[in-house]
Amino acid sequence: MASSPIFSGQIISVDVEEHELPNGRRGRFEIVRHNGGAAVLPILNDGRLVLIRQYRAAVGRTLVEIPAGRLEGNESPEACITRELAEEAGYRAGQLSPLGKMLSSPGFCDETIHLFVARQLTPIPPSPEEDEVIEPLLLSPTAARQLLQQGGIVDSKTQLALLLYFSTEDAP
Amino acid sequence: MASSPIFSGQIISVDVEEHELPNGRRGRFEIVRHNGGAAVLPILNDGRLVLIRQYRAAVGRTLVEIPAGRLEGNESPEACITRELAEEAGYRAGQLSPLGKMLSSPGFCDETIHLFVARQLTPIPPSPEEDEVIEPLLLSPTAARQLLQQGGIVDSKTQLALLLYFSTEDAP
């Protein structure tokens, strides 16, 4: 496989690679490499969900999302999401359960996002990074479901985490 | 806003941009620009779902997905998905209904994917592009749900389309 490195940044790198396909043909592919991430749906003891409103430069607007972050080096998804839950939402979790995993856009990118649910939450002071502008948004499951149905939640990891949570038996 | 173009390819382009954040600070962001895409969950008259198995160079393996493609120029999502449904799955749809839309990874990428359900399908000869290796996979809704629950479907647009479909009232 021939590979030409195009860009190596802080968050992503980009290669143009020639791959042999299963049918024996060769193809040229533009590929975004990402170290992977983790995202968490935090659930308060009263059942409310902890979402965040975060400005996203890539789309030039503020989105409703769940807390999430990029894996640093060989960090485990659990360690990553424990850090992000503290920094972005201001909670420590007593219980962290895997909810699934997703490839965000495998047509051109290798990013895997590991999804979790966090329960038994204890508030701690949030500490967002300098380039993160984040506000918490506490929603009942009913309000979150309505916001999703009305198109107010467009971030794929957040949509997926909510739908997976709503599809489990213990969800209201 | 200062922007430095890094790469301009066939599928994506990459910029490094300096943005002013809502709090007045400035941040430097690596941003992947993508023209957007469309994806469709095709449903046969007998209720079976038309999925595809497709080799994905970015992750080096074959994934179970729904038919999808990239918007060409100013193409509408409906026109895009009509073309991809024919090319990748070999069907013409009598009815196309919007199912939602998603941002695949807004932390660093502006890609929007428009999701549809297609019904009243008529088979036509598929015509995949040269660098696409695609096999159809017809599944009952029950089998698709099992495959999803067992972790056999990891592509986010496919996970989301299936969960949105299963959450509607007419799904089995």
Side-chain angles (χ1 to χ4, degrees):
Chain A
M1 183 193 77
S3 175
S4 304
I6 300 289
F7 173 66
S8 180
Q10 299 288 105
I11 305 297
I12 55 166
S13 61
V14 179
D15 302 319
V16 174
E17 297 181 5
E18 197 178 295
H19 280 246
E20 183 169 324
L21 302 175
N23 65 358
R25 285 179 186 271
R26 300 186 76 82
R28 181 184 163 283
F29 298 91
E30 298 162 7
I31 299 179
V32 176
R33 301 279 174 204
H34 186 286
N35 200 38
V40 63
L41 179 62
I43 303 172
L44 296 174
N45 288 341
D46 65 8
R48 283 181 302 168
L49 310 178
V50 182
L51 301 175
I52 57 176
R53 288 171 50 82
Q54 177 166 20
Y55 177 77
R56 290 302 199 177
V59 292
R61 58 194 174 100
T62 295
L63 301 180
V64 174
E65 301 190 21
I66 55 175
R70 182 173 164 277
L71 304 185
E72 293 179 357
N74 291 320
E75 186 180 45
S76 71
E78 289 79 3
C80 172
I81 208 54
T82 298
R83 175 170 44 77
E84 296 292 344
L85 181 61
E87 285 181 5
E88 297 193 342
Y91 289 99
R92 187 177 294 126
Q95 189 195 35
L96 202 59
S97 315
L99 189 61
K101 67 177 178 176
M102 57 177 260
L103 293 169
S104 57
S105 201
F108 64 91
C109 179
D110 68 353
E111 182 191 28
T112 296
I113 301 177
H114 302 264
L115 302 174
F116 295 90
V117 166
R119 290 186 173 87
Q120 300 169 18
L121 301 175
T122 310
I124 56 174
S127 52
E129 296 186 49
E130 281 207 352
D131 62 353
E132 292 181 331
V133 178
I134 293 176
E135 290 171 21
L137 177 67
L138 302 185
L139 291 180
S140 70
T142 303
R145 198 191 289 262
Q146 282 175 353
L147 191 62
L148 184 64
Q149 285 169 348
Q150 291 161 359
I153 297 175
V154 290
D155 169 54
S156 66
K157 66 183 176 296
T158 304
Q159 293 172 317
L160 194 58
L162 287 173
L163 286 168
L164 287 169
Y165 175 62
F166 293 148
S167 73
T168 59
E169 291 180 29
D170 62 333
Chain B
M1 184 192 78
S3 174
S4 305
I6 300 290
F7 172 67
S8 180
Q10 300 289 105
I11 305 298
I12 55 166
S13 61
V14 180
D15 302 318
V16 173
E17 298 182 4
E18 197 178 296
H19 279 247
E20 183 170 325
L21 303 175
N23 65 357
R25 287 178 185 271
R26 299 186 77 82
R28 180 185 164 281
F29 299 91
E30 298 162 8
I31 298 180
V32 176
R33 301 279 175 204
H34 185 286
N35 201 38
V40 64
L41 178 62
I43 303 171
L44 296 173
N45 289 341
D46 64 8
R48 282 180 303 168
L49 310 178
V50 182
L51 301 175
I52 57 177
R53 288 171 49 82
Q54 177 166 20
Y55 177 77
R56 289 302 198 176
V59 293
R61 60 194 174 100
T62 295
L63 300 180
V64 174
E65 300 189 21
I66 55 176
R70 182 172 164 278
L71 304 185
E72 293 179 358
N74 292 319
E75 186 180 46
S76 71
E78 290 79 3
C80 171
I81 208 54
T82 298
R83 175 169 44 75
E84 296 291 344
L85 181 60
E87 286 181 4
E88 296 192 343
Y91 289 99
R92 188 177 293 124
Q95 188 195 36
L96 202 59
S97 315
L99 189 60
K101 67 176 177 176
M102 56 177 260
L103 294 169
S104 57
S105 202
F108 63 91
C109 179
D110 68 354
E111 182 190 28
T112 296
I113 301 177
H114 301 264
L115 302 173
F116 295 90
V117 166
R119 291 186 171 87
Q120 300 169 19
L121 301 175
T122 311
I124 57 174
S127 53
E129 296 186 49
E130 281 206 351
D131 62 353
E132 291 182 330
V133 179
I134 293 176
E135 291 170 21
L137 177 67
L138 303 184
L139 292 180
S140 70
T142 303
R145 198 191 288 263
Q146 282 174 354
L147 191 61
L148 184 64
Q149 285 168 348
Q150 291 160 359
I153 297 175
V154 290
D155 169 54
S156 66
K157 64 182 178 298
T158 304
Q159 294 172 317
L160 194 58
L162 287 172
L163 286 169
L164 286 170
Y165 175 62
F166 292 148
S167 71
T168 60
E169 291 180 28
D170 63 334

